[in-house]
Amino acid sequence: MRTTDVLGPAATEPRPLPHFYPQSMVCPVCGRPLPPGARFCPSCGASVGGMLGTEERKMVTVLFADIVDSTALARRLDPERSRELLGAFFDAAVEELQALRGRLEKFIGDAVMAVFGLPQVHEDDALRAIRAGLAIRGRTRRLAAEAGLEEGLQVRVGVESGEAATGVGPAGQLLVTGAVVNAAARLQTAALPGQVLAGATAHTLTTNQVSFGRRRRVRAKGFADPLDAFPVEGLTTRSTRRTIPFVNRVSEQAILGQSLGLASSTGKPVLVTIVGEPGIGKSRLADELAAGMSATVRILRGQPRGFGDSSTFSPAAAIVSELACIEPTDPPEAIRRCLRELVETSGVQGNLDRTVEWLGLLFGVSGERREESAFVHDVQAGFISLVDALARDHPVALVFEDAHTLRPAMLDLIERLGSPGRRGPRRALVLALARSELLDERPAWGSSSSNAVLLRLDPLSTDESIHLVRHAAGGQVSDPEASEIARRAGGNPFFIIETTGMLMTGGNGSGPAGRVVPPTVQAVVGARLDALPARLRDLARRISVFMYGFDMHELAIVDPEATVGEIEQLEEAEVLVKDPHGPPAPGWRMRHSMVKEVAYASLPKRERRRLHRLVAAQIDAAGYQTAAADHLYLAALASIDLDPNDRSAPNEAADALLKSGDRARRRMESKSAVDRYRRALTMSGAQEGWSVREARILAGLGESSYWLGDYPAALEVLKRAVALGEAQDDSFSLAMALRFLGDIAINYEGDVDKAEKLLQRSLEAAERLDDSWAIVRSLLFQGWVPWTRYQFDAAENVWRRALELSDPEDTWARVRSLTALSINRTEMHDMEGALKLIEDAGKLAEECGDQFSVANTYVQKARVFDDLGRREEAVPWFDQAVSIFAELGARWELADARAARGIAKRELGRLDEAEEDLRFAIRIAEELGDRQLPGWTWRALARVSELRGDQAEAEERHRRSREAIVRGPR
């Protein structure tokens, strides 16, 4: 059993998912047990109620395998040994069938019947069935050798494809009936010992992938005419490689099936994170799960692509574009029309126009907005609304590959999808496939979900590795070679598959005696690339500069002479795969990240620089500035290595990274902004040559660090931004940097006098810019100086001016001005005025759909009710705000809201709940280094102790309150 952790917000011990159900209740599709009252199968996701009493016609492939002369074998062996041998045969047959997506139908004496094509039909069902027959034959022979049987052990196998009726039998089991079942059984009877015999339809479906012997004519009971039968001689190399079985992940597959069932039956999503080293089988595990799901389960793959307005949310854009049939070349109006149709047909609840606008942000068709601070919240809200609509009545599986490479905001969205919805059931299985770096970067990953499962994929055992080698090599490697490959691979399936591929294509030596297994998977991949013809090898290297996939139009950027035929040859060589989830135009991608990394490493740096610049120019012209900046950065890295004195590429990259960093900062993608600003600085050269550009990079980096709560880092870079901004006389960087230095002075350093000077300088710089947006934001910060000093009339004047100067389109500033004025009116004891102001702010926030602003207005409205003594009315508003802040991951705001709610609950006599809220607020404030919350929150906690009659505890909490106040704003 692989290491499995089941995480919950309050759970410290693994919590197993339910999987023991009454055997009398089985799924009509996959035949596995069902829990009482289940609406969906926990293994395949099929609708239970909808299948009962129905029939369906499907194109399936049926396999029969029978031990030759089992009666004589039973006479020769002791009954117990005979039974053990038969049990071992059944176990081996079932293992091979399941590894190739076959569904065991039943055992008939010493024969096995299986069906391929349930619950979903796949185009290679017939090929997989034939391969399963060959695998069962091989396992049976080895089984006899291991048992020491002198006479050996043989099987007869029959395989045929055709239309069958599937229905539910009296006991609730799925029955497959039709002529194809009888034909496969008759073929098995007619097969020679050790022979796999395919019928006419199975032969037609696999004629290009399987080598067959001469046709036989078989007289079969129940058939008027003889049956055509074709002896299977073997698989072609390509077929062998395309149908490599999935080896020994049974426990993991069962857990995934149970997780899907839990999400389906409870309406609560399950977040499953599959962690493992490169090549360990994460993607294959997800693919096998998808292949075995019922057709009622919608599978959405969040695979990043090279188009979309936000590289941060590229996986979400990929899902939406697939659902809405959006192509990269579609004009804005066509995209909006597709999104409108998707939203309407999916049953999205609420404001449909707003949801269309939010989803349009993924593609840059929602119009230019100077104030983009709600971008992240809006995208997440739109995507979650869509998923909730799709997963309300039927299960949905979302798959996100390479999660460790995704941006923080996208990871936040994945975690939110794995948390229970606020608007009804969310029957979603959310799969995140990642390397262990994800957990290193986010140790609390999954803790916000009530159902979170962590699967760590361990390496295969030696026996499992040898078994995979035999399958992957199609019998073309010797036992010593198989053992050597297994030893070198260390249980890594990708290493095994790459090595066998190299040996089968003659990529390392000309014969068995000259074949050497390279020591590392990188060396194996390198050897396979080196074995390609020079033209294909060079093409593969050029393709490696693409971040994700590509189509022929994009390929022409890096290689105008490339042809579809050459791409197909790279497919045949297992370098590329078609992207089945890409846009309608044919697209491809590197088969594995390791192949891409090795190919890129072999690309000369001058060529890297040239190609990245070409790609950047093309995608920048198409409006994808962030992706263009990434390519320019890689071009600059290559350029610096080639000639450190050539500043053209680094300067180009620094300019692009500043633009993309500014966009991320405006959208509150703060971690992404920090990354881009830091990379921009590395491209900026020696500090003595820095100018206005670097002053603005520093200012943006400081603001982004501020929003992340990293005040020490923010202080350091903001001070540098001010010094450089003053030297360059740049009012823009000064207005921004001084604004956030002022706020840090109040909330972190606790120095109001210092804050006053800094914010005044920020306002003066903003006024020199003559930019109302900058002026309003400086005023919003500046108003807290007199407010902190209890100078409420002065604060009122500052915030009134901010409101008057706010652009009618600047909803963010208007909501915050009204909220600040409401808070101020509360302190002035004008409760009716405070309530009117916050209701106006709430209406504006609701109209623009900014959930962060909405939650802020809820908190203030609740506080007004609390001050009015209407605490029963206040608590629901607090509850809504807490729910939104928790979903958005806004930790300071969440702490503030819970502290205020704790006070309201205390006054209502709900002391335990009050204690929990207030303690939570203090813990978060201390983690963030905040100096405002602890003082009054400790005081509120002391009052809880007093109400309980615990004077000693109350005094201790008053002492903590006094200490926090001393450290707080002065």
Coordinates of all heavy atoms in Angstrom, one line a residue, residues 773-836:
W773 N -6.3 59.0 -9.8 CA -6.2 57.7 -9.3 C -5.2 57.6 -8.2 O -5.4 57.1 -7.1 CB -5.9 56.7 -10.4 CG -7.1 56.4 -11.2 CD1 -7.8 57.3 -12.0 CD2 -7.8 55.1 -11.4 NE1 -8.8 56.7 -12.7 CE2 -8.9 55.4 -12.3 CE3 -7.6 53.9 -10.8 CZ2 -9.7 54.3 -12.7 CZ3 -8.5 52.9 -11.2 CH2 -9.5 53.1 -12.1
A774 N -4.0 58.2 -8.5 CA -2.9 58.1 -7.5 C -3.2 59.0 -6.3 O -2.9 58.6 -5.1 CB -1.6 58.6 -8.2
I775 N -3.8 60.2 -6.5 CA -4.2 61.1 -5.5 C -5.2 60.4 -4.5 O -5.0 60.5 -3.3 CB -4.7 62.4 -6.0 CG1 -3.6 63.2 -6.8 CG2 -5.3 63.3 -4.9 CD1 -4.1 64.4 -7.6
V776 N -6.2 59.8 -5.1 CA -7.2 59.2 -4.3 C -6.6 58.1 -3.4 O -7.0 58.0 -2.2 CB -8.4 58.6 -5.2 CG1 -9.3 57.7 -4.4 CG2 -9.2 59.7 -5.7
R777 N -5.8 57.3 -3.9 CA -5.2 56.2 -3.1 C -4.3 56.7 -2.0 O -4.3 56.1 -0.9 CB -4.4 55.2 -4.0 CG -5.4 54.2 -4.7 CD -5.0 53.8 -6.1 NE -6.1 53.0 -6.7 CZ -7.2 53.4 -7.2 NH1 -7.5 54.7 -7.2 NH2 -8.1 52.6 -7.6
S778 N -3.6 57.8 -2.3 CA -2.8 58.4 -1.2 C -3.6 58.9 -0.1 O -3.4 58.8 1.1 CB -1.8 59.4 -1.8 OG -0.8 58.9 -2.6
L779 N -4.8 59.5 -0.5 CA -5.7 60.1 0.5 C -6.3 59.0 1.3 O -6.5 59.2 2.5 CB -6.8 60.9 -0.3 CG -6.4 62.3 -0.8 CD1 -7.5 62.8 -1.7 CD2 -6.1 63.2 0.3
L780 N -6.7 57.9 0.7 CA -7.3 56.8 1.4 C -6.4 56.3 2.5 O -6.8 56.0 3.6 CB -7.7 55.6 0.5 CG -8.9 55.9 -0.4 CD1 -9.0 54.8 -1.4 CD2 -10.2 55.9 0.5
F781 N -5.1 56.2 2.2 CA -4.1 55.8 3.3 C -3.9 57.0 4.3 O -3.8 56.7 5.5 CB -2.8 55.5 2.6 CG -2.7 54.1 2.0 CD1 -3.4 53.8 0.9 CD2 -1.8 53.2 2.5 CE1 -3.3 52.5 0.4 CE2 -1.7 51.9 2.0 CZ -2.5 51.6 0.9
Q782 N -3.9 58.2 3.8 CA -3.6 59.3 4.7 C -4.7 59.5 5.7 O -4.4 60.0 6.9 CB -3.4 60.6 3.8 CG -2.8 61.8 4.6 CD -2.8 63.0 3.8 OE1 -3.7 63.4 3.1 NE2 -1.6 63.7 3.8
G783 N -5.9 59.2 5.4 CA -7.0 59.4 6.4 C -6.8 58.7 7.7 O -7.4 59.1 8.7
W784 N -6.1 57.5 7.7 CA -5.9 56.8 8.9 C -5.0 57.4 9.9 O -5.0 57.0 11.1 CB -5.4 55.3 8.5 CG -6.4 54.6 7.7 CD1 -6.4 54.2 6.4 CD2 -7.7 54.1 8.2 NE1 -7.5 53.6 6.0 CE2 -8.3 53.4 7.1 CE3 -8.3 54.1 9.4 CZ2 -9.6 52.9 7.2 CZ3 -9.6 53.5 9.6 CH2 -10.2 52.9 8.5
V785 N -4.2 58.4 9.5 CA -3.4 59.1 10.4 C -4.2 59.9 11.4 O -4.1 59.6 12.7 CB -2.4 60.0 9.7 CG1 -1.6 60.9 10.7 CG2 -1.3 59.2 8.9
P786 N -5.1 60.8 11.0 CA -5.9 61.5 12.0 C -6.9 60.5 12.7 O -7.2 60.7 13.9 CB -6.7 62.6 11.2 CG -6.6 62.1 9.8 CD -5.3 61.4 9.7
W787 N -7.4 59.5 12.0 CA -8.3 58.6 12.6 C -7.6 57.9 13.8 O -8.2 57.7 14.9 CB -8.8 57.6 11.6 CG -9.8 56.6 12.1 CD1 -11.2 56.9 12.1 CD2 -9.7 55.4 12.7 NE1 -11.9 55.8 12.6 CE2 -11.0 54.9 13.0 CE3 -8.6 54.6 13.0 CZ2 -11.1 53.6 13.7 CZ3 -8.8 53.4 13.7 CH2 -10.0 52.9 14.0
T788 N -6.3 57.4 13.6 CA -5.6 56.8 14.7 C -5.4 57.7 15.9 O -5.3 57.2 17.0 CB -4.3 56.3 14.1 OG1 -4.5 55.4 13.0 CG2 -3.5 55.5 15.2
R789 N -5.4 59.0 15.6 CA -5.2 60.0 16.7 C -6.5 60.4 17.3 O -6.6 61.4 18.0 CB -4.5 61.2 16.2 CG -3.0 60.9 15.8 CD -2.4 62.1 15.1 NE -1.0 62.0 14.9 CZ -0.2 62.7 14.0 NH1 -0.9 63.5 13.2 NH2 1.1 62.6 14.0
Y790 N -7.6 59.8 16.9 CA -9.0 60.1 17.3 C -9.4 61.5 16.8 O -10.3 62.2 17.4 CB -9.1 60.1 18.8 CG -8.7 58.7 19.4 CD1 -7.4 58.6 20.0 CD2 -9.5 57.6 19.3 CE1 -7.0 57.4 20.5 CE2 -9.1 56.4 19.8 CZ -7.9 56.3 20.4 OH -7.5 55.1 20.9
Q791 N -8.8 62.0 15.7 CA -9.2 63.3 15.1 C -10.2 63.0 14.0 O -9.8 63.0 12.8 CB -7.9 64.0 14.6 CG -6.9 64.3 15.7 CD -5.6 64.8 15.1 OE1 -5.4 64.8 13.9 NE2 -4.7 65.2 16.0
F792 N -11.4 62.7 14.4 CA -12.3 62.1 13.4 C -12.8 63.2 12.4 O -13.1 62.8 11.3 CB -13.5 61.5 14.2 CG -13.1 60.4 15.1 CD1 -13.4 60.5 16.5 CD2 -12.3 59.3 14.6 CE1 -12.9 59.5 17.3 CE2 -11.9 58.3 15.5 CZ -12.2 58.4 16.9
D793 N -12.9 64.4 12.8 CA -13.3 65.5 11.8 C -12.3 65.6 10.7 O -12.6 65.7 9.5 CB -13.5 66.8 12.5 CG -14.7 66.8 13.4 OD1 -15.7 66.1 13.1 OD2 -14.8 67.6 14.4
A794 N -11.0 65.6 11.1 CA -9.9 65.7 10.1 C -10.0 64.5 9.2 O -9.8 64.6 7.9 CB -8.6 65.8 10.8
A795 N -10.2 63.3 9.7 CA -10.3 62.1 8.9 C -11.4 62.1 7.9 O -11.3 61.8 6.8 CB -10.4 60.8 9.8
E796 N -12.5 62.7 8.4 CA -13.7 62.8 7.6 C -13.4 63.7 6.4 O -13.8 63.4 5.2 CB -14.9 63.5 8.4 CG -16.1 63.7 7.6 CD -17.1 62.6 7.7 OE1 -16.9 61.7 8.5 OE2 -18.2 62.7 7.0
N797 N -12.7 64.8 6.6 CA -12.3 65.7 5.5 C -11.5 65.0 4.4 O -11.7 65.2 3.2 CB -11.6 66.9 6.0 CG -12.5 67.8 6.8 OD1 -13.8 67.8 6.6 ND2 -12.0 68.6 7.8
V798 N -10.5 64.2 4.9 CA -9.6 63.5 4.0 C -10.4 62.5 3.1 O -10.2 62.5 1.9 CB -8.5 62.8 4.7 CG1 -7.6 61.9 3.8 CG2 -7.6 63.8 5.5
W799 N -11.2 61.7 3.7 CA -11.9 60.7 3.0 C -13.1 61.3 2.2 O -13.4 60.7 1.1 CB -12.5 59.6 4.0 CG -11.4 58.8 4.5 CD1 -10.3 58.3 3.8 CD2 -11.2 58.2 5.8 NE1 -9.5 57.6 4.6 CE2 -10.0 57.5 5.8 CE3 -12.0 58.3 7.0 CZ2 -9.6 56.8 7.0 CZ3 -11.6 57.6 8.1 CH2 -10.4 56.8 8.1
R800 N -13.6 62.4 2.6 CA -14.6 63.1 1.7 C -14.0 63.6 0.4 O -14.5 63.5 -0.7 CB -15.2 64.2 2.5 CG -16.3 63.9 3.5 CD -17.6 63.4 2.8 NE -18.6 62.9 3.8 CZ -19.7 62.3 3.5 NH1 -19.9 62.0 2.2 NH2 -20.5 61.9 4.5
R801 N -12.8 64.1 0.6 CA -12.0 64.6 -0.6 C -11.7 63.4 -1.5 O -11.8 63.5 -2.8 CB -10.7 65.3 -0.2 CG -10.0 65.9 -1.4 CD -8.6 66.4 -1.0 NE -7.9 66.9 -2.1 CZ -6.6 67.0 -2.2 NH1 -5.8 66.8 -1.1 NH2 -6.0 67.4 -3.3
A802 N -11.3 62.2 -0.9 CA -11.0 61.0 -1.7 C -12.3 60.6 -2.5 O -12.2 60.3 -3.7 CB -10.5 59.9 -0.8
L803 N -13.4 60.7 -1.9 CA -14.7 60.3 -2.5 C -15.0 61.2 -3.7 O -15.4 60.8 -4.7 CB -15.8 60.2 -1.5 CG -17.2 59.8 -2.0 CD1 -17.1 58.3 -2.6 CD2 -18.2 59.9 -0.9
E804 N -14.8 62.5 -3.4 CA -15.1 63.5 -4.5 C -14.2 63.4 -5.7 O -14.7 63.7 -6.8 CB -15.0 64.9 -3.8 CG -16.1 65.2 -2.8 CD -15.8 66.5 -2.0 OE1 -14.7 67.1 -2.2 OE2 -16.6 66.8 -1.1
L805 N -13.0 63.1 -5.4 CA -12.0 63.0 -6.5 C -12.1 61.6 -7.3 O -11.5 61.5 -8.4 CB -10.6 63.2 -6.0 CG -10.2 64.6 -5.5 CD1 -8.8 64.6 -5.0 CD2 -10.3 65.6 -6.7
S806 N -12.8 60.6 -6.7 CA -12.8 59.3 -7.3 C -13.5 59.3 -8.7 O -14.6 59.9 -8.8 CB -13.5 58.3 -6.4 OG -12.8 58.1 -5.2
D807 N -12.9 58.7 -9.6 CA -13.5 58.6 -10.9 C -14.8 57.7 -10.8 O -14.8 56.7 -10.0 CB -12.5 57.9 -11.9 CG -13.0 57.8 -13.3 OD1 -14.0 57.2 -13.6 OD2 -12.3 58.4 -14.2
P808 N -15.9 58.1 -11.5 CA -17.1 57.2 -11.4 C -16.9 55.8 -11.7 O -17.6 54.9 -11.2 CB -18.0 57.9 -12.4 CG -17.6 59.3 -12.5 CD -16.1 59.3 -12.4
E809 N -15.8 55.5 -12.6 CA -15.5 54.1 -12.9 C -14.6 53.4 -11.9 O -14.4 52.2 -12.0 CB -14.9 54.1 -14.3 CG -15.7 54.6 -15.4 CD -17.0 53.8 -15.6 OE1 -16.9 52.6 -15.6 OE2 -18.0 54.4 -15.8
D810 N -14.1 54.2 -11.0 CA -13.2 53.7 -10.0 C -14.0 53.1 -8.8 O -13.9 53.7 -7.7 CB -12.2 54.8 -9.6 CG -11.0 54.2 -8.8 OD1 -11.0 53.0 -8.5 OD2 -10.1 55.0 -8.4
T811 N -14.7 52.0 -9.0 CA -15.5 51.5 -7.9 C -14.7 51.1 -6.7 O -15.2 51.3 -5.6 CB -16.3 50.3 -8.5 OG1 -16.9 50.6 -9.7 CG2 -17.3 49.8 -7.5
W812 N -13.6 50.5 -6.9 CA -12.7 50.1 -5.8 C -12.5 51.3 -4.8 O -12.7 51.2 -3.6 CB -11.4 49.6 -6.3 CG -10.4 49.1 -5.3 CD1 -10.3 47.8 -4.9 CD2 -9.5 49.8 -4.5 NE1 -9.3 47.7 -3.9 CE2 -8.8 48.9 -3.7 CE3 -9.1 51.2 -4.4 CZ2 -7.8 49.3 -2.8 CZ3 -8.1 51.6 -3.5 CH2 -7.5 50.6 -2.7
A813 N -12.1 52.5 -5.3 CA -11.8 53.6 -4.5 C -13.1 54.2 -3.8 O -13.1 54.6 -2.7 CB -11.2 54.7 -5.3
R814 N -14.2 54.1 -4.6 CA -15.5 54.7 -4.0 C -16.0 53.8 -2.9 O -16.4 54.3 -1.9 CB -16.5 54.8 -5.1 CG -16.2 55.8 -6.2 CD -17.2 55.8 -7.4 NE -18.5 56.2 -6.9 CZ -18.8 57.5 -6.7 NH1 -17.9 58.5 -7.0 NH2 -20.0 57.9 -6.3
V815 N -15.9 52.5 -3.1 CA -16.3 51.6 -2.0 C -15.5 51.8 -0.7 O -16.0 51.8 0.4 CB -16.3 50.1 -2.5 CG1 -16.4 49.1 -1.3 CG2 -17.3 49.8 -3.5
R816 N -14.2 51.9 -0.9 CA -13.3 52.1 0.2 C -13.5 53.4 0.9 O -13.3 53.6 2.1 CB -11.9 51.8 -0.2 CG -11.6 50.3 -0.1 CD -10.5 49.8 -1.1 NE -10.4 48.4 -1.1 CZ -11.3 47.5 -1.6 NH1 -12.3 48.0 -2.3 NH2 -11.1 46.2 -1.5
S817 N -13.7 54.4 0.1 CA -14.0 55.8 0.7 C -15.3 55.7 1.6 O -15.3 56.2 2.7 CB -14.1 56.8 -0.4 OG -13.0 56.9 -1.2
L818 N -16.3 55.1 1.0 CA -17.6 55.1 1.8 C -17.4 54.2 3.0 O -18.0 54.5 4.1 CB -18.7 54.5 0.9 CG -19.2 55.4 -0.3 CD1 -20.0 54.7 -1.3 CD2 -20.0 56.6 0.3
T819 N -16.7 53.1 2.9 CA -16.5 52.2 4.1 C -15.7 53.0 5.1 O -16.0 52.9 6.3 CB -15.7 50.9 3.6 OG1 -16.5 50.3 2.6 CG2 -15.5 50.0 4.8
A820 N -14.6 53.7 4.7 CA -13.8 54.4 5.7 C -14.7 55.5 6.4 O -14.6 55.7 7.6 CB -12.6 55.1 5.0
L821 N -15.5 56.2 5.6 CA -16.4 57.2 6.2 C -17.4 56.6 7.2 O -17.7 57.2 8.2 CB -17.1 57.9 5.1 CG -16.3 58.9 4.3 CD1 -17.0 59.3 3.0 CD2 -16.0 60.2 5.1
S822 N -17.9 55.4 6.8 CA -18.8 54.7 7.7 C -18.1 54.4 9.1 O -18.7 54.5 10.2 CB -19.4 53.4 7.1 OG -20.2 52.7 8.0
I823 N -16.9 53.8 9.0 CA -16.1 53.5 10.2 C -15.9 54.8 11.0 O -16.1 54.8 12.3 CB -14.8 52.9 9.8 CG1 -15.0 51.5 9.2 CG2 -13.9 52.8 11.0 CD1 -13.8 50.9 8.5
N824 N -15.6 55.9 10.3 CA -15.4 57.1 11.0 C -16.7 57.6 11.7 O -16.7 58.1 12.9 CB -14.9 58.2 10.0 CG -14.2 59.3 10.7 OD1 -13.3 59.1 11.5 ND2 -14.6 60.6 10.4
R825 N -17.8 57.5 11.0 CA -19.1 57.9 11.6 C -19.4 57.1 12.9 O -20.1 57.6 13.8 CB -20.2 57.8 10.6 CG -20.2 58.9 9.5 CD -20.8 60.2 10.1 NE -20.3 61.4 9.5 CZ -20.7 62.6 9.8 NH1 -21.4 62.8 10.9 NH2 -20.2 63.6 9.2
T826 N -19.0 55.8 12.8 CA -19.3 55.0 14.0 C -18.5 55.6 15.2 O -19.1 55.7 16.3 CB -18.8 53.6 13.8 OG1 -19.5 53.0 12.6 CG2 -19.0 52.7 15.0
E827 N -17.3 56.0 15.0 CA -16.5 56.6 16.1 C -17.0 57.9 16.5 O -16.9 58.3 17.7 CB -15.0 56.7 15.6 CG -14.3 55.4 15.3 CD -14.2 54.5 16.5 OE1 -14.2 55.1 17.7 OE2 -14.1 53.3 16.4
M828 N -17.8 58.6 15.6 CA -18.4 59.9 15.9 C -19.8 59.7 16.5 O -20.5 60.7 16.7 CB -18.4 60.8 14.7 CG -17.1 61.1 14.1 SD -17.1 61.9 12.4 CE -17.6 63.5 12.9
H829 N -20.2 58.4 16.8 CA -21.4 58.1 17.4 C -22.6 58.4 16.5 O -23.7 58.6 17.0 CB -21.6 58.7 18.8 CG -20.4 58.3 19.7 ND1 -20.2 57.1 20.1 CD2 -19.4 59.1 20.1 CE1 -19.1 57.1 20.8 NE2 -18.6 58.3 20.9
D830 N -22.4 58.6 15.2 CA -23.5 58.8 14.2 C -23.9 57.5 13.6 O -23.5 57.2 12.5 CB -23.1 59.8 13.2 CG -24.2 60.1 12.2 OD1 -25.3 59.6 12.3 OD2 -23.9 60.8 11.1
M831 N -24.6 56.6 14.3 CA -24.9 55.3 13.8 C -25.8 55.2 12.6 O -25.5 54.4 11.7 CB -25.5 54.4 15.0 CG -24.5 54.3 16.2 SD -23.0 53.6 15.6 CE -22.0 53.8 17.1
E832 N -26.7 56.1 12.5 CA -27.6 56.1 11.4 C -26.8 56.5 10.1 O -27.0 56.0 9.0 CB -28.8 57.1 11.6 CG -29.7 56.6 12.7 CD -30.3 55.2 12.5 OE1 -30.6 54.9 11.3 OE2 -30.4 54.4 13.4
G833 N -26.0 57.5 10.3 CA -25.1 58.0 9.2 C -24.2 56.9 8.8 O -23.9 56.6 7.6
A834 N -23.6 56.2 9.8 CA -22.7 55.1 9.5 C -23.4 54.0 8.7 O -22.8 53.4 7.7 CB -22.1 54.5 10.8
L835 N -24.6 53.6 9.1 CA -25.4 52.6 8.4 C -25.7 53.0 7.0 O -25.6 52.1 6.1 CB -26.7 52.3 9.2 CG -27.4 51.1 8.8 CD1 -26.6 49.8 8.9 CD2 -28.7 50.9 9.6
K836 N -26.1 54.2 6.8 CA -26.4 54.7 5.4 C -25.2 54.6 4.5 O -25.3 54.1 3.4 CB -26.9 56.1 5.5 CG -27.1 56.8 4.2 CD -28.3 56.2 3.4 CE -28.7 57.0 2.2 NZ -27.6 57.2 1.2

